[in-house]
Amino acid sequence: MKSFNLHLYLVTDEAAKCRHSLLETVRKAVDGGVTIVQYRSTNPDAGTCYREALPIRDFLAARGIPFIVNNRVDLALALDADGVHIGQRDLPVPSVRAMIGPDKILGLSVSNMDQLRAVDASLVDYLGMGPVFPTISKLNAPPVLGVEGFAALASRSPLPVVAIGGLDAERARQVRATGTAAGIAAVSAICGAEDRKPPHGRWPDCLPGNAGKKPFFQTPCLHHPALSAPSPQIWKKSGRRPRWFSP
């Protein structure tokens, strides 16, 4: 059984693009309010990725923060990661679910209505949707949605949605104001920050119910249509489908 909070989602950038080591970047980001971390690398050398990701996984496990691996199911299994995030050109969702089992978190990237309609909500736990704004962290990214386009698409989702793509604290506020995002994902805005924390400490403050720093899993996710109770909400993974619940 897994619980996860999509509130503020860090996707790591390539180590060479970060001002500091990936591990140090993740440490400071968690101190700054990040609630879930995805390890993303384009390095084809699995051994190098494993050695780079292992200390990050161990640090996050000690802090109770979910550790997700992008794309590489083999790497996720070797690391015993909490989950995998895949894109539209990666292995099919049913195959990935079969490989990782029912208790791991599975995220899927979508960028248009056709992809959203094809989502099997019985197999996927959350969606990464974007890019909301132009992004420099991913080559060959899909067309930009914009805030209104994101909101229109996210409002049709049967699953919680994490906004991604060119987001900084101010843009995150714009997305949050639509009431359609369960979380905000950041890449270069955090990995490239001088102090490695969410810039100027403003990221947690731009999210509802998270002014200042509060303990992990005690702050509500961004407003989502599935949320109606005023009590704190988190995602609880049980079997193949998560459900909203109030602890």
Side-chain angles (χ1 to χ4, degrees), residues 194-238:
E194 180 62 34
D195 62 0
R196 291 93 71 196
K197 294 182 181 181
H200 310 298
R202 295 177 299 177
W203 279 90
D205 293 336
C206 78
L207 305 178
N210 199 27
K213 297 178 183 177
K214 296 185 179 181
F216 178 59
F217 283 172
Q218 292 188 19
T219 57
C221 295
L222 287 173
H223 178 73
H224 184 272
L227 287 175
S228 58
S231 55
Q233 309 279 350
I234 65 177
W235 273 101
K236 184 174 183 179
K237 184 78 170 65
S238 178

Side-chain angles (χ1 to χ4, degrees), residues 41-47 49 72:
S41 175
T42 58
N43 190 333
D45 189 326
C49 291
R72 298 285 299 273

Side-chain angles (χ1 to χ4, degrees), residues 8 39 43 67 81 84 102 112-113 124 144 159 164 185 236:
L8 184 52
Y39 173 77
N43 190 333
F67 173 67
V84 180
N112 58 54
M113 184 57 71
V124 179
V144 171
L159 295 168
I164 188 169
K236 184 174 183 179

Side-chain angles (χ1 to χ4, degrees), residues 99-123:
M99 286 187 279
I100 67 176
D103 295 325
K104 298 290 187 180
I105 302 166
L106 179 55
L108 175 67
S109 294
V110 298
S111 60
N112 58 54
M113 184 57 71
D114 288 341
Q115 293 172 358
L116 183 62
R117 291 193 185 103
V119 170
D120 186 341
S122 70
L123 300 178

